[in-house]
Amino acid sequence: MLTRAPPPPSVFLQPPRPVMVAAASPSATPLALPASSALPLRGIAPVAARPISHRPAPAFALLLPPRAAAASRSPADDVPDGNSSHLLAVPVPVPMDPAAAEDVPVAKQLQVPDVSPRPPERDFAGTPYVPVYVMLPLGVVNGNGEVVDADELVGQLRVLKASGVDGVMVDCWWGNVEAHKPQEYNWTGYRRLFQMIRELKLKLQVVMSFHECGGNVGDDISIPLPHWVIEIGRSNPDIYFTDRAGRRNTECLSWGVDKERVLQGRTAVEVYFDFMRSFRVEFDEYFEDGIISEIEIGLGACGELRYPSYPAKHGWKYPGIGEFQCYDRYLQKSLRKAAEARGHTIWARGPDNAGHYNSEPNLTGFFCDGGDYDSYYGRFFLSWYSQALVDHADRVLMLARLAFEGTNIAVKVSGVHWWYKTASHAAELTAGFYNPCNRDGYAPIAAVLKKYDAALNFTCVELRTMDQHEVYPEAFADPEGLVWQVLNAAWDAGIQVASENALPCYDRDGFNKILENAKPLNDPDGRHLLGFTYLRLGKDLFERPNFFEFERFIKRMHGEAVLDLQV
């Protein structure tokens, strides 16, 4: 998705933490995915209750013929002496021969490996039901209007359905559907995909993806903006976001053209509305039948409501602060008008001491403690910059609500958690979130979503602040603090909140962190997430240990009991 993603805050890699269940690896044995009947997966005992070598074969093992199972493992995966298991991070004890045991001192026989016990887990049985969706691959429908690897996809969807997944999320790419001519839409591939999903009795979350795919971590394909839009951009590159050095970002259109008739006689918001209205008419039956449960409106880079302030294509690396993206002539015109209205025409400029993409806040004059970000000019500029973001959301959501009347709509907001523990929150400021330590930058966003009854979909709910500190102590990141702030800003505004993970997640610690955020402990109002969307469907998810953890997570999100909680 997304492009997901980061998906951004998911734009950096996090070394895996030691967990009971190993993450996906090339040597791990995958599940055999069926092409016909659904699989009886519910009720399977999850991994990590006891050593796998001593456990009866799970139902999944029946899907993989013994010869195929052996062929899928490398010799290094075999454990002939039983001393260890490649699926566990702890040794597997070996039963001792009674005859040999007589010659071993009693103290030696009773010796137990020094393994730290996993802390007790919270029991989510009986808690509110939070639906779980899974993002489909970014290129599940290609530019020719075909479903890619349809038979394999059906098998994967059957397994997801049997595991209890409520539905799937799919990106509906503007660059594929309206690729060649204005208002000439090709919905063929999506119609076939949606029919497959309906036959499996899964729900659909659909993203109106008005951005390009490619160039971000996790983007495994390239889907540019429509060709006819790219042609316009060649002669008028100011339709794109632009940084101080004049570099253009073709990922999405600048909000400066929202009301400019630069797209063959239409404004950007008119183009977005025509696309959404065409989708609503084309798939009317899926709305009427309730198959489409939610439409997520793409509002910026990666489909998120933010400026493309940290593009990898321009050399950004985590944890750089990013750069302001307001130097196209349309946004510059808006800035001049704002400065004139304030009576300070000299303020009609971007800051010249805000560093570069990979700068640190305290090495810049604008973002350092006591820096210009908190001066009269700095507060003016940041107010204008962040208001442009809110105004863009307001314009597009007004038309989205008109196109999708009676349907749940949502907006994705990225979790820019690095430099959160500094005074300026520099990375958030360049992304458009005016959220320094003395101001709540997410309340205005929550207010505009409330205006159109839109849910807020937030990322990075699986990340732990301590883990970030261990890996990148120089980033002063605090994902847990950020998640708590954004969730409360939304709930205080009276809007619903959904979430998704920012990075690939297969381990129990990550899933438990998601559960904690989905159902806050002892919340006096009983607040909880509207839903959770897992990033993303892929072969790694179907590795046995990963999928066991995922199914266990689904049960707990649904408020079902699991049998292996440590007490």
Side-chain angles (χ1 to χ4, degrees), residues 70 119 153 295 298 338 353 355 387 390 403 420 499 517 534:
L153 178 62
I295 299 292
N353 60 347
Q387 189 61 44
V390 173
Y420 188 86
S499 70
N517 286 319
Y534 177 81

Side-chain angles (χ1 to χ4, degrees), residues 329-348:
R329 61 188 172 100
Y330 300 105
L331 285 178
Q332 284 291 294
K333 181 174 68 173
S334 170
L335 178 57
R336 282 195 301 273
K337 287 183 178 180
E340 291 169 0
R342 181 70 182 269
H344 300 286
T345 55
I346 194 174
W347 287 354

Side-chain angles (χ1 to χ4, degrees), residues 245-256:
R247 286 169 291 198
R248 314 288 185 172
N249 191 317
T250 60
E251 184 174 354
C252 58
L253 298 182
S254 166
W255 304 331

Side-chain angles (χ1 to χ4, degrees), residues 192-209:
R192 184 182 177 201
L193 175 65
F194 292 1
Q195 180 62 31
M196 291 162 46
I197 292 168
R198 175 161 62 181
E199 289 175 359
L200 291 168
K201 295 182 171 55
L202 289 166
K203 298 286 188 181
L204 259 170
Q205 294 174 326
V206 184
V207 185
M208 300 286 101
S209 296

Side-chain angles (χ1 to χ4, degrees), residues 79-96:
V79 190
D81 59 0
N83 288 326
S84 62
S85 168
H86 68 288
L87 293 178
L88 295 179
V90 296
V92 176
V94 181
M96 183 174 290

Side-chain angles (χ1 to χ4, degrees), residues 3-299:
T3 44
R4 304 246 94 67
S10 54
V11 285
F12 62 95
L13 298 178
Q14 179 184 14
R17 299 185 295 274
V19 291
M20 290 292 288
V21 180
S25 67
S27 63
T29 306
L31 300 175
L33 301 176
S36 55
S37 59
L39 303 174
L41 304 184
R42 299 182 68 74
I44 295 175
V47 176
R50 49 196 169 129
I52 288 179
S53 60
H54 296 167
R55 175 183 300 142
F60 284 118
L62 302 178
L63 303 177
L64 206 64
R67 186 170 299 176
S72 68
R73 295 198 312 271
S74 67
D77 291 331
D78 294 326
V79 190
D81 59 0
N83 288 326
S84 62
S85 168
H86 68 288
L87 293 178
L88 295 179
V90 296
V92 176
V94 181
M96 183 174 290
D97 181 12
E102 294 178 358
D103 300 327
V104 180
V106 173
K108 191 86 169 176
Q109 296 181 35
L110 297 178
Q111 192 172 10
V112 178
D114 184 16
V115 178
S116 299
R118 178 179 290 276
E121 295 184 74
R122 180 177 156 198
D123 187 357
F124 288 91
T127 57
Y129 185 106
V130 176
V132 177
Y133 289 73
V134 175
M135 297 182 196
L136 295 187
L138 294 168
V140 65
V141 174
N142 63 24
N144 297 322
E146 303 165 333
V147 179
V148 177
D149 297 327
D151 291 340
E152 180 182 13
L153 178 62
V154 168
Q156 293 174 332
L157 293 178
R158 290 187 197 279
V159 175
L160 293 181
K161 175 65 177 180
S163 71
V165 165
D166 296 271
V168 295
M169 173 181 277
V170 60
D171 287 275
C172 200
W173 295 101
W174 180 31
N176 278 348
V177 175
E178 196 181 0
H180 303 292
K181 294 181 180 179
Q183 295 180 280
E184 185 177 281
Y185 308 103
N186 178 10
W187 301 109
T188 305
Y190 290 101
R191 177 161 286 280
R192 184 182 177 201
L193 175 65
F194 292 1
Q195 180 62 31
M196 291 162 46
I197 292 168
R198 175 161 62 181
E199 289 175 359
L200 291 168
K201 295 182 171 55
L202 289 166
K203 298 286 188 181
L204 259 170
Q205 294 174 326
V206 184
V207 185
M208 300 286 101
S209 296
F210 296 115
H211 61 288
E212 73 175 11
C213 179
N216 291 300
V217 172
D219 292 355
D220 52 4
I221 60 167
S222 176
I223 303 174
L225 297 184
H227 301 308
W228 61 273
V229 173
I230 294 174
E231 286 299 317
I232 294 171
R234 289 194 175 100
S235 58
N236 181 12
D238 284 289
I239 66 174
Y240 301 123
F241 285 107
T242 307
D243 64 18
R244 185 175 180 82
R247 286 169 291 198
R248 314 288 185 172
N249 191 317
T250 60
E251 184 174 354
C252 58
L253 298 182
S254 166
W255 304 331
V257 300
D258 276 359
K259 299 189 290 184
E260 300 284 344
R261 296 193 175 279
V262 294
L263 301 176
Q264 295 196 15
R266 291 186 295 166
T267 67
V269 292
E270 287 173 343
V271 170
Y272 303 148
F273 175 66
D274 290 341
F275 183 91
M276 292 186 289
R277 181 173 56 183
S278 174
F279 178 87
R280 178 62 181 82
V281 172
E282 180 72 21
F283 296 103
D284 177 70
E285 61 192 284
Y286 292 87
F287 286 93
E288 297 302 318
D289 294 346
I291 302 298
I292 294 177
S293 60
E294 180 182 271
I295 299 292
E296 185 172 284
I297 312 300
L299 291 176

Side-chain angles (χ1 to χ4, degrees), residues 375-388:
S375 67
Y376 288 112
Y377 158 73
R379 292 197 296 271
F380 159 78
F381 173 78
L382 292 171
S383 294
W384 167 81
Y385 189 75
S386 61
Q387 189 61 44

